[in-house]
């Protein structure tokens, strides 16, 4: 929901970068650049916290669910940041 998104974004604001905040950047494999979606990413990552980037948008993914202000499940992810070190 939008309250969760706002809370997560507020936590990230003020951090020098996602890396400094404990996130690691990874590239989404380009085996099918037009058929792998945010929804697919969620199915492949049922646990953890991620910031997933498309070409022009970012989406929060928490425990296999994407959180956004609109239904971005069909967007194509390019890379993502994964929370490490027990980030909640």
């Amino acid at each position: 929901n939008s309250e969760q998104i706002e809370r997560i974004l507020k936590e990230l604001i003020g951090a020098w970068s996602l890396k400094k905040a404990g996130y690691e950047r990874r590239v989404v494999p380009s085996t099918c650049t037009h058929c792998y979606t945010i929804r697919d990413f969620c199915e492949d990552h049922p646990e953890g916290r991620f910031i997933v980037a498309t070409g022009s948008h970012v989406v929060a993914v928490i425990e296999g669910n994407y959180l956004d202000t609109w239904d971005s499940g069909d967007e194509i992810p390019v890379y993502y940041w994964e929370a490490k070190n027990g980030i909640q």
Side-chain angles (χ1 to χ4, degrees):
N1 69 29
S2 62
E3 293 167 358
Q4 280 184 310
I5 294 169
E6 185 175 335
R7 182 182 60 78
I8 291 166
L9 292 176
K10 282 182 180 179
E11 289 174 8
L12 294 176
I13 293 172
W16 291 101
S17 67
L18 287 172
K19 186 174 182 177
K20 186 163 183 129
Y23 283 75
E24 291 181 4
R25 184 175 185 228
R26 308 230 167 120
V27 175
V28 175
S30 61
T31 56
C32 184
T33 57
H34 296 312
C35 63
Y36 189 77
T37 65
I38 297 289
R39 195 171 280 109
D40 295 323
F41 182 91
C42 291
E43 289 177 16
D44 289 345
H45 298 85
E47 296 179 359
R49 292 176 170 268
F50 306 87
I51 304 295
V52 182
T54 69
S56 61
H57 189 64
V58 294
V59 180
V61 173
I62 299 174
E63 305 303 332
N65 298 297
Y66 62 93
L67 303 170
D68 205 342
T69 57
W70 57 285
D71 186 358
S72 58
D74 291 329
E75 294 295 306
I76 308 300
V78 177
Y79 64 91
Y80 63 95
W81 292 85
E82 181 177 5
K84 293 295 184 182
N85 304 324
I87 293 174
Q88 297 295 319

